[in-house]
Amino acid sequence: MIATLQCLVIDCPRPRELAAFYRKVLGGEVDKRDPRWSTDETWSTLHTPDGRVLAFQQAPDLQPPAWPDPSRPQQYHLDLGVADLDAAEAGVLAAGATLLDAGDPGRSWRVYADPVGHPFCLVRE
């Protein structure tokens, strides 16, 4: 095992509104204090009663999915918690990922693409 799943991140035009919708559906707490993220008008979270976290990231020009139309597929990325970014990076690259954004050396996350191009982040726990 290389990582643990921290949350599912969903692009949307208005993060808090979508978080509130999912709170109605799943229960939980919107924008609960959490050292992993800060919330604002561009990022909102939902901590569900079972411990899972959904995050909502602002994408003002989002073209929503038109499922099952493949020309407008679903939009999301995964944040995966790791203890050691360098070791985890080596593991995901060996498994077939591609580095998309290493960021500044002190940043706590890096962005990759899975083998078919879906983005995901490794985030230092």
Side-chain angles (χ1 to χ4, degrees):
M1 184 171 98
I2 295 171
T4 59
L5 180 64
Q6 285 193 343
C7 70
L8 174 66
V9 180
I10 301 170
D11 287 353
C12 59
R14 292 172 301 283
R16 283 205 177 100
E17 288 180 24
L18 196 56
F21 167 79
Y22 279 101
R23 184 192 56 74
K24 291 177 185 174
V25 173
L26 301 169
E29 186 176 342
V30 172
D31 294 342
K32 177 179 174 180
R33 295 189 112 183
D34 188 314
R36 296 173 290 182
W37 306 286
S38 58
T39 59
D40 59 22
E41 67 279 350
T42 66
W43 183 269
S44 192
T45 60
L46 174 65
H47 287 70
T48 64
D50 65 2
R52 291 185 177 94
V53 179
L54 296 178
F56 305 90
Q57 175 175 267
Q58 186 177 49
D61 298 324
L62 177 75
Q63 292 294 315
W67 187 86
D69 182 351
S71 70
R72 295 213 344 241
Q74 298 176 50
Q75 296 128 8
Y76 69 91
H77 75 265
L78 300 174
D79 281 355
L80 306 174
V82 300
D84 181 324
L85 278 172
D86 294 329
E89 176 171 288
V92 298
L93 293 176
T98 303
L99 178 65
L100 298 178
D101 179 9
D104 299 325
R107 192 170 80 179
S108 64
W109 76 93
R110 297 176 189 159
V111 184
Y112 304 84
D114 68 19
V116 296
H118 299 114
F120 68 93
C121 297
L122 294 178
V123 182
R124 186 182 312 112
E125 291 186 324

